[in-house]
Amino acid sequence: MLISGRGSNMDAILAAIKSGRIRNAKPCIVISNKPGTAGLKIASEKYKVPTKVIPSDGLKGWHYDQNVVTILHEHGVTAQSGLVCLAGFMRIMSPEFIRQYRMRIMNIHPALLPAFPGLHAQKQALDYGVKVSGCTVHFVDEGIDSGPVILQKAVPVIERDDEESLSARILEQEHELYPEAVRLFCEGRIKIDGRRVSIV
Ligand code: GRF
């Protein structure tokens, strides 16, 4: 799992593994590009999952990502059997990384893609004036939040919403949706046909 901060989605996935809701999964390593984050503490203290900080240090693209691949391999996360979950990881993965782990990298985005990709998705939705937003779990491809959609959950926007309140309501759904997508993946129930993902 790759994180940069709070790690609440990571927490939800690890909780689902611990409780047995997700079977056939072993959390191998949590990597953060920032030291001292709340997520790292949760991973190591609450779940006893190994953690590693790989600082960005101005490294771009594959120069950074190759360090990630090394650590993933050291912990048994391979392109044949592994799953890499981006959970609030504030870096864009390089094409080289994506090629290695194609359709084995998931991300969660706090909007109903393809609407409002990129940063501040909840604010984008509010500013646009949509009445419904939500969250999306998708596979990661070379674009920004543009890979095949796995699961989505709609969240109504209410009149008195501000960025904080909408983000909080979406986050609640994220914590359901992401573990569910991981569960389906681990059960081998995700079928990909071009852009279309079906659950079998
Ligand atoms: C979430 O809103 C997620 O949708 C977005 O980044 C945020 C990460 O939060 N990609 P957390 O670190 O999982 O709490």
Side-chain angles (χ1 to χ4, degrees):
M1 235 166 302
L2 270 61
I3 63 168
S4 294
R6 184 173 59 181
S8 70
N9 279 289
M10 174 210 74
D11 193 345
I13 294 167
L14 293 178
I17 294 172
K18 195 173 172 186
S19 74
R21 177 177 161 203
I22 301 174
R23 280 166 288 153
N24 324 321
K26 176 175 172 275
C28 297
I29 178 78
V30 170
I31 298 171
S32 171
N33 65 324
K34 300 219 173 91
T37 59
L40 284 170
K41 207 167 157 197
I42 295 170
S44 58
E45 290 181 10
K46 190 168 166 193
Y47 297 101
K48 314 284 178 232
V49 174
T51 60
K52 176 87 185 169
V53 176
I54 308 179
S56 287
D57 279 347
L59 293 175
K60 294 220 163 66
W62 179 240
H63 291 294
Y64 180 86
D65 290 354
Q66 62 188 358
N67 300 326
V68 175
V69 171
T70 303
I71 298 299
L72 290 175
H73 283 169
E74 275 176 27
H75 289 84
V77 185
T78 67
Q80 287 72 43
S81 65
L83 173 65
V84 178
C85 294
L86 310 184
F89 188 60
M90 300 302 285
R91 287 184 63 97
I92 295 164
M93 306 314 294
S94 61
E96 292 90 340
F97 184 89
I98 289 159
R99 259 202 303 280
Q100 285 211 20
Y101 284 94
R102 188 166 295 285
M103 299 307 156
R104 289 185 174 273
I105 313 166
M106 283 186 189
N107 182 42
I108 183 139
H109 183 74
L112 293 178
L113 292 170
F116 314 124
L119 293 174
H120 310 297
Q122 303 94 329
K123 181 167 189 303
Q124 290 186 54
L126 278 175
D127 290 349
Y128 195 92
V130 292
K131 304 296 183 201
V132 177
S133 192
C135 47
T136 304
V137 181
H138 63 94
F139 285 114
V140 174
D141 69 4
E142 285 83 350
I144 305 280
D145 300 322
S146 58
V149 170
I150 305 166
L151 295 175
Q152 291 188 302
K153 181 77 197 261
V155 173
V157 179
I158 52 185
E159 256 169 47
R160 59 174 184 281
D161 262 337
D162 57 15
E163 190 181 353
E164 197 183 326
S165 64
L166 179 61
S167 300
R169 281 210 320 291
I170 292 175
L171 191 65
E172 241 174 73
Q173 299 307 320
E174 291 181 37
H175 295 162
E176 289 299 315
L177 203 70
Y178 209 170
E180 182 61 12
V182 173
R183 182 178 76 84
L184 293 168
F185 184 92
C186 293
E187 290 177 3
R189 292 173 56 196
I190 295 183
K191 196 173 135 264
I192 308 159
D193 179 11
R195 281 208 57 87
R196 299 185 70 168
V197 173
S198 43
I199 310 301
V200 293

